[in-house]
Amino acid sequence: SMCDAAKRSKSPYLRTVALIDLNTANSFVLPLALLLISLEMKTSSSGIFNAMVRTTSEKASSYASVSAVPNQSMFYSTGVQDYSAPSDAGKMKFSVYPTPTTTVAGGIRCTYLRRPVLLSTLTVDKEVIDFPSDFHMALCYEAAWLHLSKQPSKNIKDFSGYHKFYEERLATFIRDAKEDNAYDAHGAQIVIDGWGGVTEDAWRSF
């Protein structure tokens, strides 16, 4: 329920920025994000980051073959990291075009929504979750609805109000989050389902 609320609201509470080193090997790994908002590359010694656009490896290859360097920096998926690098397993790999010719520390800036904290990882006296307190009850109702709806002995009509309550509160939360995120002129570049992991994530658009 927290992942659903985070993706649909683009909650500012989960907004995170990470820097990735630019390298000439042209192989990079994204953070295990719930939703990627933007990628930017530092293209000059001035330290200014410029937005990158998504493309495909086929298009990048065609640009290289005709020496047609576009004015816009691009990135494209190169698959998912396997367990040859255990700490990055399950994360999306990508390359950029044009291929970097120098190494730049923190040369790529990634803005994304991180995954909500797993409550099972918190101690009882430190349970601070990634949503405002007035939305906590709605999350509890949705969690109860998700659990009860999978019980064959239960009649879903008996507790459908739980989900309705969640949807109503989520609509308000989304409205408030949109006001906080109004400066974003672009949509999400990647949407990821689930809590993560090599076999569970469904990386649907890149």
Side-chain angles (χ1 to χ4, degrees), residues 57 67 140 199 205:
S57 58
S67 300
C140 292
T199 59
S205 66

Side-chain angles (χ1 to χ4, degrees), residues 86-156:
S87 62
D88 288 329
K91 297 179 182 179
M92 181 65 73
K93 297 188 298 180
F94 71 98
S95 294
V96 302
Y97 183 85
T99 300
T101 57
T102 58
T103 298
V104 181
I108 297 176
R109 183 164 62 193
C110 173
T111 303
Y112 64 99
L113 294 186
R114 63 175 175 78
R115 296 172 181 275
V117 64
L118 279 171
L119 299 186
S120 59
T121 65
L122 302 176
T123 58
V124 175
D125 61 335
K126 295 180 179 179
E127 289 187 347
V128 178
I129 67 173
D130 297 308
F131 294 90
S133 57
D134 58 354
F135 190 63
H136 290 183
M137 186 58 69
L139 289 169
C140 292
Y141 271 73
E142 179 69 356
W145 179 80
L146 289 170
H147 172 72
L148 293 171
S149 63
K150 296 177 181 178
Q151 308 303 312
S153 61
K154 304 291 185 180
N155 186 343
I156 195 170

Side-chain angles (χ1 to χ4, degrees), residues 39-41 50-54 72-75 96 189:
L39 280 178
E40 301 165 286
M41 182 187 292
N50 293 316
M52 303 173 68
V53 297
R54 184 176 58 215
Q72 182 81 54
S73 297
M74 302 179 179
F75 69 95
V96 302
Q189 294 175 324

Side-chain angles (χ1 to χ4, degrees), residues 11-33:
S11 172
Y13 294 87
L14 299 168
R15 207 176 178 88
T16 306
V17 175
L19 295 178
I20 301 172
D21 292 340
L22 193 64
N23 60 66
T24 55
N26 200 15
S27 179
F28 311 94
V29 178
L30 287 170
L32 193 55

